[in-house]
Each structure stands twice: as C-alpha cells, then as structure tokens.
Amino acid sequence: FPQLIQFANVCGASVPRRVQEMFEGLDDDERTRNLIAANIAIEQVRQLRIHGVEQFHFYTLNRARLTFAICHALGLRPAKAA
C-alpha cells in the first residue's frame, strides 16, 4: 500500500480515505491486501463499464497475478489454443 500512495503522489492523484482505511492494519498481511485490491479494482471497472468505458490499463506494480485475477473475475479469459 505504501507503493500505491507514493505512485499516486507522483501522478498528482490522491487515494480516497475510505480506501486507505481498508488497508489499515494489513502491513504484514499481503494476501488480504491483494484480495482487497482486487475487489476495489473489479468494482471500479464494473462501474466504469456501466458508464461506457471500454478500455482499461492496470497499474499493479509488477503483480501479474493480481491483474490476472481482476480480469478473470470480470470474465476476461485467455483465448484457448485451437
């Protein structure tokens, strides 16, 4: 989470207080942090899709498994080889 705050600051963005509160006390619990992060991203994408956004770029700070989980939950799956 500290990386997220730093990244947001560099971009001139902010992290809502409610999101910060979701991560409080989880400094030593990576698994729970990842679950919360995925849930937040999934909900954001769902809401943006409702409003017509169709393309997304995820900054997961080199956490490919997190991106895969988000895409999987949204129904985006790799094409099966023919």
Side-chain angles (χ1 to χ4, degrees):
F1 190 74
Q3 280 183 294
L4 172 65
I5 298 295
Q6 182 180 18
F7 187 76
N9 289 336
V10 168
C11 294
S14 63
V15 178
R17 182 71 195 142
R18 68 176 181 78
V19 172
Q20 293 180 35
E21 290 170 354
M22 291 177 167
F23 288 94
E24 285 180 1
L26 297 176
D27 293 343
D28 297 323
D29 189 348
E30 181 179 4
R31 188 173 190 181
T32 302
R33 286 192 320 265
N34 285 341
L35 288 170
I36 291 170
N39 186 56
I40 290 168
I42 291 163
E43 185 56 30
Q44 284 182 332
V45 169
R46 285 185 177 147
Q47 289 299 314
L48 290 166
R49 279 178 157 175
I50 288 169
H51 295 284
V53 178
E54 297 178 9
Q55 296 183 10
F56 302 90
H57 184 98
F58 297 103
Y59 287 95
T60 56
L61 304 174
N62 296 320
R63 290 175 174 83
R65 292 182 69 188
L66 179 57
T67 305
F68 180 82
I70 292 165
C71 291
H72 186 85
L74 293 166
L76 304 170
R77 312 282 164 72
K80 296 188 183 215

